[in-house]
Amino acid sequence: MEMQKTYNPKDFEDRIYADWEQSGYFRAERDPNKVPFTIMMPPPNITGQLHMGHAMDATLQDTLIRFKRMQGYSALWLPGCDHASIATEVKIVEKMKKEGLTKADVGRDGFLERAWDWKEQYGNRIMLQQRKMGTSCDWSRQAFTLDEKCSKAVREVFVNLYEKGLIYQGDRIINWCPCCKTALSDAEVEYAEEGGHFWHLRYPATDGSTEVIVATTRPETMLGDTAVAVHPDDERYKNLVGKTLTLPLVGRQIPVVADEYVDPAFGTGCVKITPAHDPNDFEVGNRHDLPIIRVMNDDGSMNEKAGAYQGLDRYEARKKIVADLEALGNLVKVEAHTHNVGHCYRCHSTVEPIVSKQWFVKMEPLARPAIDAVAKGKTKFVPERFSKTYYNWMENVRDWCISRQLWWGHRIPVWYCKDCGKVICAKEDPTACPACGSKHIRQDEDVLDTWFSSALWPFSTLGFPEITEDYKYFYPTDVLVTGYDIIFFWVARMIFSGIEHTGKVPFRDVLIHGIIRDEQGRKMSKSLGNGIDPLEVIEKYGADSLRLSLLTGVAPGNDTRYSDTKVEASRNFINKLWNATRFVLMNVGDTKILPIEKIKLAPADKWIIAKLQNCIREVTLNINKYELGVASDLVTGFVWDDFCDWYIELSKPALYGEYTARKTEALSVLCYVLENSLKLLHPFIPFVTEEIYANLPNTQGSIMVSEFPRYNYRMAYKKEAKAFEGVMEIIKAVRAMKKDADCPPSKKVELFIVTENKRLIQLNKDCITKLSGASNLTIVDSVNEVEGKTVSSVTEISQIYVPLGELVDIEKEKARLSAEIERIDGEIARAEGKLANEKFVSRAPQKLVDAEKEKVEKYKDMKAKCLAQLQNL
């Protein structure tokens, strides 16, 4: 198969993915001779379409799984989707609305039938889109949070927690979304600062002796007030405690109670208490046995307890209540006030705290071992700073409201006997009441919070509660890759669920990534219209270019910016790799490529092999540390700079020379380095590396199941590489001299070199002359042997003189040498400063201290040579 002249990803990306999938390479096998490595894909919502966040997630996870697979692990990346109760139900309701139907019209069974139809039609869309990114998941194990396996785990966990007393039902203040008409957990409420008001209201004492002033940001809730609280030590109100006030507009008598919740220094020191509509007031109400009066319906309108305001929307009622209070003289003043307001994370409506009968998970007993697990390093956050976010949430967590007033989701496995009142919680649907035998039983109407099933994802997908072979082999998993925005939504819940139900943490590491922002640093959003569709980018540039651009400069936990410029730079790199490969293959022709062990290596060969070995070591180290941005920069830098810009040029004298044996050796080294470079690049840019790999001589099978390069200290050639870099410094110096003297690059010049490393220069004479654009190179003992006007330069191993006749500008050359001396003085000062630092000398390894001493001597020698050249001028 011949490579196309130009890199065009459309020619091969879809074909290659189909080949991978068909080959079964993505499937993880339970191999007792291999170590498992497991990643669970954070399940995207079935309502979702691929966005840049998914693209980043997929790139990071796929890079890790491909790396581990090539290293010989049995690598499982398990994909799947989340049923997303609220988001999906909203979509179905919207679709039905267009048909003129409501949930009530079709009933629960009819609605669920429509929801499953919708899931079949759209639910797999994002999974197909993921494939365009090159994701190498094990699609044969694809899971869904509502599938039979996950549903069984949900039942098991709910019943176990219920039987332990860790799940209970009770009247509590919960977050209520009047738009979605469902309860929300604390994690599902997003807070944003909003401008509002403080309304100061006058509440008169029932006996007419005095009055108190209270302030509220939600005057419509005052209809549900059942007390006013003051601090027990507040001398101003001690005589009022136990007396009653008359609630304006309502006429209800409410007591004044003493409670330490009140801050006497804030406002007037009097606080209105509405137990049905405020979490703190609810606690005060419990302590003082106050009645709970809920004045709002589920849709945010006022109910029958609101009297004359019944039927009004909460905001309409607010306006009317304020106007009526003002008319009665009970409105004292209105102050502008900025405060944090909670919004539903799905529809962004303002959330109402209301009292409601809901199901809760008791969190304190579950949170303690989960906090300990992270504190003891059983699960580590990368970067570590995100453990603080985790601790902060877990240490202050309230009981988790898990019931949702929806139809799409895991229905709560609780039944009520209509005849004897027995509450039945069971893993299998009961047909009769176990207490009285009655068949008149009804199931709880609510479904579970979506995050309840997502919390079980690392083990429910592997067959739990059954101890399956997959569960035994692949659990606990190795790393979870996710954004910092769902540490409390999901990560924390998976950790305490894993510990509680399996006795093990669900993953060893949590790799946190940031969000992708636009070029200006703004969050991508529909309202700003700055969202980028990854599929459009792939269509234009190819998946590899997008993947590489997402990894460029990325660091764990940090946000990153998307720009077309980064994608174009990535495409340019891939183009360079493509063209370099074509150059190598055109020169290979029918040449028999030799194993690297059978080649007599030239100095340039040893240098590139040494650079490759260093790259292998550093890339492996950084991927293992989850520094994927650093790793991708290292390998692309090596390929672009060392291989393409230097070694290919260094190999040309051999390729175009008359010695067949040397040409074969150079081609063999080129193929060896190229093949290993492709393997290093494969986890990052899988498509193009697969396409190129298939065209190389002596390669078999797919690159994705080839062995990832291992560092070989025998091929590190540190001494030889350092020596050859002295040769490269000469080439760079000559090029710079010609440029400074405005000498055209094509003009051949004569080189005169003073050096103590005569053998090294002689050995690499061809390289130096060809790459520096010299016609001849002469090794001399001193500058006195060079005639005419020259430009000169000093490197660590040489003094270089180039006679350029009238092109030499003496003053310019003096200025250049003076600048070089100044630079060298800076280096000497830096190194001597380090050596003068007692802490550095006493604490640093001796090797580093000796290296600094060597630098001082080296730079002093270079300075002496520069001064001599300046003196000659």
Side-chain angles (χ1 to χ4, degrees):
M1 184 167 62
E2 193 178 334
M3 282 178 66
Q4 297 294 320
K5 284 188 178 180
T6 54
Y7 164 65
N8 182 4
K10 287 181 185 176
D11 290 344
F12 54 82
E13 285 192 350
D14 288 346
R15 165 177 55 79
I16 285 174
Y17 196 89
D19 289 347
W20 284 335
E21 207 167 353
Q22 196 175 358
S23 70
Y25 292 144
F26 298 163
R27 182 166 174 77
E29 301 296 343
R30 297 183 301 272
D31 186 339
N33 298 316
K34 287 186 176 183
V35 177
F37 184 88
T38 314
I39 300 178
M40 295 292 175
M41 177 189 285
N45 292 348
I46 57 168
T47 56
Q49 291 201 60
L50 194 73
H51 58 61
M52 276 298 174
H54 294 129
M56 171 64 91
D57 242 7
T59 300
L60 293 170
Q61 291 172 81
D62 195 50
T63 300
L64 289 172
I65 212 75
R66 286 179 182 275
F67 169 67
K68 290 295 180 181
R69 189 184 288 121
M70 291 175 77
Q71 282 196 317
Y73 289 80
S74 183
L76 169 63
W77 182 16
L78 194 147
C81 276
D82 194 294
H83 65 279
S85 287
I86 297 177
T88 306
E89 189 139 329
V90 166
K91 293 275 186 188
I92 313 299
V93 169
E94 282 174 0
K95 190 167 183 283
M96 284 168 53
K97 195 174 180 181
K98 291 173 184 173
E99 300 171 41
L101 294 170
T102 64
K103 285 170 73 176
D105 292 334
V106 299
R108 187 169 197 138
D109 290 342
F111 180 83
L112 289 176
E113 196 177 314
R114 285 168 172 266
W116 280 106
D117 286 345
W118 191 93
K119 188 262 175 188
E120 290 307 310
Q121 190 174 352
Y122 299 108
N124 211 33
R125 176 176 51 189
I126 195 163
M127 294 290 103
L128 294 171
Q129 292 171 337
Q130 291 267 24
R131 287 166 163 83
K132 296 292 284 183
M133 288 294 301
T135 52
S136 58
C137 328
D138 185 346
W139 297 110
S140 69
R141 286 182 169 92
Q142 184 174 335
F144 176 49
T145 48
L146 271 181
D147 65 23
E148 190 180 340
K149 192 190 291 183
C150 292
S151 298
K152 189 175 181 182
V154 167
R155 279 280 183 101
E156 177 83 12
V157 164
F158 186 98
V159 175
N160 289 347
L161 291 174
Y162 180 86
E163 289 174 349
K164 286 182 178 181
L166 294 175
I167 283 183
Y168 65 92
Q169 192 180 34
D171 288 313
R172 294 283 186 280
I173 279 279
I174 51 101
N175 306 296
W176 183 264
C177 175
C179 179
C180 297
K181 296 186 184 62
T182 186
L184 302 170
S185 70
D186 291 346
E188 291 169 312
V189 179
E190 294 176 345
Y191 288 89
E193 279 203 347
E194 283 186 8
H197 297 91
F198 256 137
W199 284 273
H200 295 257
L201 312 179
R202 179 182 286 114
Y203 285 15
T206 305
D207 62 9
S209 60
T210 187
E211 63 186 24
V212 299
I213 308 298
V214 296
T216 180
T217 58
R218 297 154 68 215
E220 64 277 11
T221 64
M222 59 93 53
L223 305 175
D225 286 1
T226 55
V228 166
V230 296
H231 195 278
D233 299 332
D234 195 331
E235 294 294 334
R236 294 171 295 176
Y237 303 113
K238 276 200 170 178
N239 295 334
L240 259 181
V241 175
K243 291 188 177 183
T244 61
L245 308 169
T246 300
L247 188 61
L249 302 180
V250 181
R252 183 168 60 245
Q253 291 186 16
I254 59 173
V256 177
V257 298
D259 197 283
E260 291 187 345
Y261 156 67
V262 179
D263 178 2
F266 185 76
T268 62
C270 297
V271 178
K272 63 187 278 303
I273 302 298
T274 322
H277 293 281
D278 183 274
N280 296 311
D281 294 4
F282 180 79
E283 299 300 331
V284 174
N286 278 347
R287 287 194 287 274
H288 298 276
D289 201 22
L290 298 173
I292 295 170
I293 302 172
R294 180 175 159 178
V295 296
M296 266 183 226
N297 294 313
D298 288 350
D299 63 358
S301 64
M302 309 307 286
N303 65 18
E304 72 283 355
K305 299 279 179 66
Y309 307 99
Q310 182 178 357
L312 292 177
D313 171 77
R314 52 184 165 164
Y315 299 120
E316 290 171 20
R318 179 181 294 181
K319 288 177 190 172
K320 195 165 188 325
I321 286 166
V322 169
D324 291 349
L325 286 167
E326 188 172 19
L328 289 170
N330 291 94
L331 179 65
V332 179
K333 62 177 177 177
V334 183
E335 283 181 322
H337 174 64
T338 302
H339 59 147
N340 263 341
V341 177
H343 298 87
C344 172
Y345 82 115
R346 277 293 166 205
C347 70
H348 307 296
S349 301
T350 300
V351 166
E352 282 293 339
I354 59 170
V355 160
S356 178
K357 187 179 279 295
Q358 301 286 344
W359 288 93
F360 296 87
V361 173
K362 199 176 284 184
M363 283 303 305
E364 198 272 336
L366 297 171
R368 260 183 287 117
I371 290 167
D372 288 347
V374 174
K376 290 174 181 173
K378 291 178 184 175
T379 291
K380 294 176 183 173
F381 281 83
V382 182
E384 198 276 330
R385 69 178 185 271
F386 285 100
S387 60
K388 291 174 189 169
T389 306
Y390 172 82
Y391 290 136
N392 185 50
W393 193 74
M394 291 294 272
E395 286 163 0
N396 299 288
V397 71
R398 297 198 306 165
D399 285 357
W400 175 16
C401 176
I402 55 168
S403 45
R404 298 290 180 270
Q405 289 62 52
L406 302 166
W407 285 350
W408 175 245
H410 295 278
R411 195 166 175 180
I412 288 176
V414 171
W415 290 259
Y416 307 96
C417 178
K418 293 178 183 177
D419 293 332
C420 73
K422 171 80 175 170
V423 178
I424 309 143
C425 180
K427 294 174 185 176
E428 302 294 335
D429 290 7
T431 54
C433 173
C436 71
S438 169
K439 294 196 180 294
H440 299 131
I441 57 173
R442 66 171 182 86
Q443 189 174 357
D444 197 291
E445 292 292 321
D446 290 352
V447 299
L448 288 164
D449 176 8
T450 297
W451 297 101
F452 190 92
S453 50
S454 303
L456 317 181
W457 188 248
F459 48 92
S460 65
T461 50
L462 294 171
F464 176 92
E466 291 175 29
I467 308 303
T468 63
E469 292 303 313
D470 267 7
Y471 175 83
K472 285 193 284 188
Y473 186 77
F474 291 111
Y475 185 83
T477 69
D478 290 271
V479 59
L480 173 76
V481 181
T482 190
Y484 56 62
D485 50 342
I486 57 170
I487 289 174
F488 38 82
F489 267 119
W490 192 42
V491 179
R493 287 169 178 166
M494 281 191 287
I495 293 174
F496 71 66
S497 297
I499 293 168
E500 171 65 22
H501 305 297
T502 72
K504 299 171 183 174
V505 292
F507 25 73
R508 186 185 71 243
D509 297 322
V510 181
L511 173 57
I512 300 290
H513 63 75
I515 60 172
I516 299 184
R517 298 181 178 275
D518 69 9
E519 217 164 346
Q520 297 171 47
R522 300 173 302 173
K523 194 172 179 177
M524 291 185 181
S525 68
K526 286 180 185 175
S527 57
L528 287 173
N530 62 344
I532 305 290
D533 183 349
L535 296 175
E536 289 180 9
V537 179
I538 291 169
E539 177 65 22
K540 186 175 180 182
Y541 298 104
D544 287 328
S545 297
L546 174 59
R547 287 172 62 120
L548 192 56
S549 73
L550 291 173
L551 291 172
T552 302
V554 76
N558 291 356
D559 292 348
T560 185
R561 295 187 182 192
Y562 170 86
S563 72
D564 282 341
T565 308
K566 280 168 81 172
V567 187
E568 284 164 6
S570 296
R571 185 191 57 188
N572 291 345
F573 167 77
I574 297 170
N575 259 325
K576 183 136 183 142
L577 173 67
W578 186 270
N579 292 334
T581 304
R582 290 191 72 249
F583 170 82
V584 172
L585 294 180
M586 279 191 297
N587 279 281
V588 167
D590 298 327
T591 306
K592 187 176 182 340
I593 299 303
L594 304 172
I596 201 73
E597 302 80 22
K598 295 188 176 178
I599 295 168
K600 185 184 176 186
L601 298 173
D605 302 338
K606 288 184 177 178
W607 171 78
I608 192 63
I609 290 170
K611 296 293 278 187
L612 172 66
Q613 292 304 319
N614 186 62
C615 185
I616 290 168
R617 185 182 59 196
E618 292 301 312
V619 167
T620 305
L621 182 73
N622 279 284
I623 296 180
N624 281 326
K625 290 195 302 183
Y626 304 118
E627 290 284 358
L628 305 190
V630 174
S632 67
D633 288 349
L634 283 166
V635 67
T636 53
F638 166 76
V639 171
W640 188 298
D641 299 330
D642 298 330
F643 182 64
C644 296
D645 285 356
W646 272 103
Y647 185 70
I648 285 179
E649 295 304 312
L650 288 165
S651 69
K652 284 179 179 176
L655 298 182
Y656 303 147
E658 45 194 69
Y659 300 108
T660 307
R662 179 62 202 128
K663 179 180 179 180
T664 300
E665 289 166 352
L667 283 170
S668 298
V669 174
L670 281 165
C671 288
Y672 169 77
V673 175
L674 179 56
E675 181 181 333
N676 280 279
S677 298
L678 292 173
K679 289 178 180 180
L680 289 172
L681 284 165
H682 178 72
F684 308 103
I685 47 173
F687 289 110
V688 70
T689 49
E690 183 73 82
E691 180 70 2
I692 293 174
Y693 186 80
N695 284 278
L696 293 189
N698 302 344
T699 57
Q700 292 179 328
S702 169
I703 192 172
M704 72 176 287
V705 289
S706 66
E707 186 181 2
F708 197 79
R710 293 171 186 264
Y711 176 73
N712 183 345
Y713 73 92
R714 288 191 182 88
M715 300 177 83
Y717 300 127
K718 289 182 181 177
K719 189 178 174 184
E720 294 92 332
K722 186 170 173 20
F724 190 76
E725 275 172 7
V727 172
M728 293 167 69
E729 287 303 313
I730 293 172
I731 295 166
K732 286 188 238 179
V734 176
R735 287 173 175 175
M737 284 189 284
K738 287 173 72 176
K739 186 179 177 185
D740 288 345
D742 295 324
C743 175
S746 56
K747 181 178 169 64
K748 300 289 182 186
V749 296
E750 284 222 41
L751 295 188
F752 292 89
I753 294 179
V754 178
T755 181
E756 292 176 7
N757 298 69
K758 292 179 181 177
R759 187 172 179 280
L760 177 70
I761 304 302
Q762 196 63 46
L763 199 60
N764 293 283
K765 191 173 179 181
D766 272 1
C767 283
I768 296 170
T769 53
K770 293 277 195 316
L771 270 71
S772 63
S775 56
N776 190 32
L777 185 158
T778 307
I779 298 170
V780 293
D781 292 322
S782 79
V783 67
N784 297 330
E785 296 179 43
V786 185
E787 295 179 359
K789 290 183 180 179
T790 62
V791 288
S792 60
S793 187
V794 173
T795 71
E796 193 178 337
I797 65 165
S798 69
Q799 293 164 265
I800 309 160
Y801 299 92
V802 179
L804 289 176
E806 296 309 312
L807 287 174
V808 177
D809 183 330
I810 299 294
E811 294 308 314
K812 190 175 177 182
E813 184 65 3
K814 282 182 183 178
R816 189 187 64 76
L817 282 167
S818 298
E820 179 65 2
I821 291 165
E822 193 176 330
R823 184 189 72 79
I824 292 170
D825 278 338
E827 293 292 343
I828 293 169
R830 191 194 60 76
E832 287 182 336
K834 262 191 173 183
L835 292 169
N837 184 332
E838 201 176 310
K839 283 183 181 176
F840 171 75
V841 175
S842 60
R843 293 180 186 176
Q846 190 58 42
K847 196 162 75 172
L848 287 182
V849 177
D850 291 343
E852 289 302 318
K853 287 178 180 176
E854 282 177 26
K855 280 181 190 175
V856 171
E857 293 310 312
K858 177 184 80 175
Y859 285 122
K860 282 183 175 178
D861 181 51
M862 287 174 71
K863 181 180 177 181
K865 289 171 181 173
C866 283
L867 286 169
Q869 287 182 359
L870 192 59
Q871 184 64 40
N872 285 338
L873 287 172

